[in-house]
């Protein structure tokens, strides 16, 4: 609040908690990625849409910048922030399951959309952890493409036919 030159009460009228403030940029990035996924052609299967998204402007949102690296470190060291981050990832999993269910012609609450959404969130977490361990190595974009390709080898179920 002090850095923004506003009173704490005014600041927290816009944010429910300190954790929400710390993750606001991450949530905005996630919104842009999911919007990009939803904009992909309907005839693409879920993982095909994810793989194609990597090469689009929305896909560049998957590449963490310096601020996201800082937030990742804060999340790792702060149990309260870790809990809020986990809650956000559960929200992302649900949103992905909704989109994947739509693409698969299945209820989003059924096993396959839920499983695939959880696998994609897990894959992106693995990409982040791999990249953070060696930032000078493979780019997050290339790691994301590799992760989606690995998932697709066993999980890219076709679109339902009506």
């Amino acid at each position: 609040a002090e850095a923004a030159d506003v009173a704490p009460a005014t600041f927290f009228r816009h944010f429910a908690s300190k954790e929400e403030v710390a993750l606001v940029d991450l949530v905005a990035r996630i919104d842009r990625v999911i919007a990009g996924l939803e904009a992909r052609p309907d005839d693409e299967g879920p993982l095909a849409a994810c793989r194609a998204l990597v090469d689009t402007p929305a896909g560049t949102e998957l590449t963490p910048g310096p601020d996201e690296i800082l937030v990742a470190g804060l999340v790792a060291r702060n149990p309260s922030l870790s809990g809020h981050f986990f809650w956000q990832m559960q929200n992302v999993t649900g949103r992905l399951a909704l989109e994947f269910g739509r693409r698969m012609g299945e209820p989003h609450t059924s096993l396959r959309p839920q499983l695939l959404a959880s696998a994609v969130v897990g894959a992106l977490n693995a990409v982040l952890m791999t990249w953070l361990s060696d930032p000078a190595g493979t780019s997050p974009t290339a790691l994301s493409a590799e992760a989606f390709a690995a998932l697709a080898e066993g999980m890219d179920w076709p679109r339902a036919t009506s």
Side-chain angles (χ1 to χ4, degrees), residues 19 25 31 43 68 92 133:
E19 293 79 13
D25 288 339
D31 288 344
D43 63 344
E68 288 79 27
V92 169
S133 69

Side-chain angles (χ1 to χ4, degrees), residues 7-58:
T10 301
F11 186 78
F12 283 107
R13 265 186 244 149
H14 298 282
F15 299 101
S17 66
K18 296 179 294 192
E19 293 79 13
E20 185 180 334
V21 173
L23 298 177
V24 71
D25 288 339
L26 173 67
V27 171
R29 288 170 72 94
I30 289 168
D31 288 344
R32 290 188 295 269
V33 168
I34 291 178
L37 182 64
E38 291 169 344
R40 298 291 314 156
D42 286 341
D43 63 344
E44 288 180 330
L47 282 175
C50 287
R51 288 192 312 264
L53 181 69
V54 170
D55 296 323
T56 69

Side-chain angles (χ1 to χ4, degrees), residues 85-107:
F85 179 79
F86 176 77
W87 178 82
Q88 287 292 343
M89 291 304 99
Q90 288 300 103
N91 181 37
V92 169
T93 302
R95 291 172 68 189
L96 287 174
L98 193 65
E99 175 62 13
F100 293 166
R102 183 187 72 76
R103 286 179 178 276
M104 296 164 69
E106 296 184 21

